[in-house]
Amino acid sequence: MTPFRIDIPQSDLDDLSDRLARTRWPRSLPGTGWSRGVPVDYLRELTQHWASGYDWRAHEARLNDLPQFVTEIDGLDVHLLQQWMSGGVDHHALLRAAPQTFSYTWNDSPVGLLAWMMQKFKEFTMTVPTPEQAIDRDHLLTNVSLYWFTGTSGTSSWPMYERLTVANDGGFAWPTGQRRVPSGVYGGGSALMRRLAERDNTIVHWPQGNPGSHFVAMDEPLAHAADIRAFFKGLQ
């Protein structure tokens, strides 16, 4: 593995600012709130913050405080960051159908990418009216910015496409053959789910009632870190 630091060229930042300023906004569809997708007024205001209030260099520096590496797996460069961080629109169905098609918008339009990401954050932070009430606004924009500057919004879907469409079993499955490795989860489910998990795994950590949504490492980082410590403490 090779040590790595993030260093986005200033020309990429200037290009992003120019694209955001030239956004061709659609008209609002009938309906209220998020019933038809990300509201135009909401996204316009968030885009304005991305363009003039958000400081990428500050967040780039924070990310570079963390150990990072690049390695090659199956001929592809993989970036590793040592940090615990992922109803509605069927993301799996879209990527199963045509991941390359959607990547054109995500890779060419920063607002197109932002709209898609905020749609997903909204769906998975269902306990609050807007995503930034669960996750800091600049944290959300750092996540989107990383996809934008690295041009990986499309390629990030490749593993899912391979798993859902190309693999022989055509879907996800419980991991098997891991009994020698103690396993734990952040949010334990029903007794039935635990029995299913225990068929092929040695479950030693199955807490109930931990806070957070799908993106628990982003919206509940302290609780998530505490639970990870509790898991490893139980193995001592």
Side-chain angles (χ1 to χ4, degrees), residues 78-104:
V78 178
H79 174 220
L80 297 87
L81 176 67
Q82 293 188 353
Q83 180 184 33
W84 290 91
M85 292 302 265
S86 185
V89 178
D90 191 339
H91 185 72
H92 292 180
L94 293 176
L95 296 183
R96 185 187 299 117
Q100 184 68 60
T101 300
F102 294 100
S103 71
Y104 293 112

Side-chain angles (χ1 to χ4, degrees), residues 39-114:
V40 174
D41 290 344
Y42 171 86
L43 194 66
R44 189 192 295 268
E45 195 277 328
L46 184 59
T47 298
Q48 182 178 2
H49 176 68
W50 195 9
S52 59
Y54 173 78
D55 184 355
W56 162 256
R57 291 301 186 197
H59 292 276
E60 181 182 68
R62 289 182 62 189
L63 289 170
N64 281 330
D65 286 338
L66 302 169
Q68 300 177 59
F69 303 90
V70 171
T71 190
E72 183 177 302
I73 300 177
D74 294 335
L76 298 174
D77 289 335
V78 178
H79 174 220
L80 297 87
L81 176 67
Q82 293 188 353
Q83 180 184 33
W84 290 91
M85 292 302 265
S86 185
V89 178
D90 191 339
H91 185 72
H92 292 180
L94 293 176
L95 296 183
R96 185 187 299 117
Q100 184 68 60
T101 300
F102 294 100
S103 71
Y104 293 112
T105 295
W106 297 336
N107 200 65
D108 185 63
S109 169
V111 171
L113 174 62
L114 179 62

